[in-house]
Amino acid sequence: MNLAELYTTYKDMVFNLSLSYIQNIEEAEEITQDVFVAVYQSMDTFQEKSSINTWIYRITINKSLDYIKAKNRKKRLGVFASLFYENTNEVKYEQPSFNHPGVLLEQKESVEIIFNHINQLPDNQKTALILYKLEHQSLESIAAIMNISSKAAESLIQRAKANLAKKIN
Amino acid sequence: MNTHMKQADIDLLDTIQRVEASPYLLTRIQQRIESKQATRFSTTWSWAIGISFVVLLLLNIATLRNNHSASSNENNLAQSMNLLPNHNLYNE
């Protein structure tokens, strides 16, 4: 498979998954580009121990989590810088607003709140929940993507749901 | 009631629709790959130039050392054969 074929087959999967992590179109597009560049660069080293689908899922998850970490680092740095520079009462880096094109307008506010809570979950719980609720993956494929057992995947989802329920009310 | 509310809230996630990626992304990805390859090419060249400079430097050092030891060998030989230039005639 060449890049164009891979892109045609997996672009929506990659874009939607990164959108679930970031909830912003521009940033999800940025991650999608990063993912396909990484896929292209490591295509030769891809060993068919897992399916190509699982492999691309993993790359997307890693790129999304890395992006979030970098964004948070930038945000912390912005807060820190605003303490030292004069005439800057505002934070230098502002998190872009919630911009998920898949959310219905009338539910935008409620879904944004839920995503805010999901974003506070530990990475593995967040990943398991996103794969289960938003990507509609089976426990077996979640286990394969996350390189854990099906039972561990199920337990992560249950914990994520419980934590989310606690946070919602 | 509370639990039902929470479950209903979480179930809102099921209503999120799939979105299509922008058709222009592939062009941007290809551009990124090309620019990365260009950068990698220049990086390879700069490494190659750097390494050849170091090799040349090492060769020079090795040649200088060899010359030094060769000339001291020649001196030893000349000394043993009394061929060193001095101002004493007939070794007086």
Side-chain angles (χ1 to χ4, degrees), chain A residues 24-70:
Chain A
N24 182 280
I25 304 173
E26 289 81 19
E27 290 178 312
E29 284 184 349
E30 195 72 25
I31 294 168
T32 307
Q33 290 179 54
D34 286 347
V35 170
F36 281 101
V37 171
V39 165
Y40 178 80
Q41 284 176 336
S42 46
M43 224 147 47
D44 298 336
T45 55
F46 169 65
Q47 294 161 343
E48 290 177 16
K49 281 178 190 166
S50 57
S51 74
I52 197 156
N53 193 59
T54 306
W55 181 57
I56 294 178
Y57 258 123
R58 281 182 193 158
I59 295 175
T60 312
I61 292 166
N62 288 335
K63 289 280 176 196
S64 303
L65 292 174
D66 287 349
Y67 191 93
I68 293 167
K69 273 178 204 152

Side-chain angles (χ1 to χ4, degrees), chain B:
Chain B
M1 176 70 187
N2 225 3
T3 324
H4 285 298
M5 276 284 288
K6 289 168 189 172
Q7 189 55 46
D9 280 337
I10 296 170
D11 286 344
L12 271 180
L13 293 173
D14 293 329
T15 63
I16 296 173
Q17 289 161 358
R18 304 288 287 175
V19 188
E20 271 189 34
S22 158
Y24 305 110
L25 275 182
L26 180 62
T27 320
R28 282 192 248 160
I29 292 162
Q30 282 166 336
Q31 280 172 348
R32 250 200 216 190
I33 290 169
E34 277 166 25
S35 69
K36 279 207 172 190
Q37 277 172 339
T39 321
R40 196 185 293 169
F41 185 70
S42 61
T43 317
T44 315
W45 269 109
S46 51
W47 270 107
I49 291 166
I51 288 169
S52 29
F53 182 76
V54 171
V55 169
L56 271 174
L57 197 74
L58 289 175
L59 277 173
N60 275 327
I61 292 168
T63 314
L64 281 173
R65 278 192 173 180
N66 280 343
N67 276 351
H68 181 72
S69 59
S71 66
S72 58
N73 281 344
E74 280 166 13
N75 279 345
N76 289 340
L77 185 68
Q79 206 166 20
S80 65
M81 294 177 76
N82 289 330
L83 292 174
L84 278 176
N86 60 32
H87 300 295
N88 299 328
L89 287 172
Y90 311 114
N91 290 331
E92 283 174 346

Side-chain angles (χ1 to χ4, degrees), chain A residues 19 21-28 71 75 93-101 103 108 112-113 115-116 119:
Chain A
L19 204 52
Y21 276 95
I22 309 289
Q23 303 108 43
N24 182 280
I25 304 173
E26 289 81 19
E27 290 178 312
K71 197 165 88 169
K75 197 177 158 189
Y93 179 79
E94 267 185 42
Q95 193 168 16
S97 58
F98 178 83
N99 184 7
H100 195 308
V103 176
K108 198 181 167 190
E112 186 177 351
I113 293 168
F115 268 119
N116 282 339
N119 292 342

Side-chain angles (χ1 to χ4, degrees), chain A residues 56-123:
Chain A
I56 294 178
Y57 258 123
R58 281 182 193 158
I59 295 175
T60 312
I61 292 166
N62 288 335
K63 289 280 176 196
S64 303
L65 292 174
D66 287 349
Y67 191 93
I68 293 167
K69 273 178 204 152
K71 197 165 88 169
N72 289 340
R73 212 177 301 131
K74 223 174 178 180
K75 197 177 158 189
R76 277 199 298 272
L77 206 71
V79 173
F80 189 69
S82 64
L83 294 173
F84 290 97
Y85 290 105
E86 279 180 21
N87 303 327
T88 48
N89 294 327
E90 60 190 354
V91 173
K92 294 256 182 204
Y93 179 79
E94 267 185 42
Q95 193 168 16
S97 58
F98 178 83
N99 184 7
H100 195 308
V103 176
L104 300 172
L105 198 62
E106 60 267 27
Q107 288 169 348
K108 198 181 167 190
E109 211 175 313
S110 324
V111 175
E112 186 177 351
I113 293 168
I114 297 173
F115 268 119
N116 282 339
H117 293 313
I118 291 175
N119 292 342
Q120 289 167 28
L121 291 173
D123 284 350

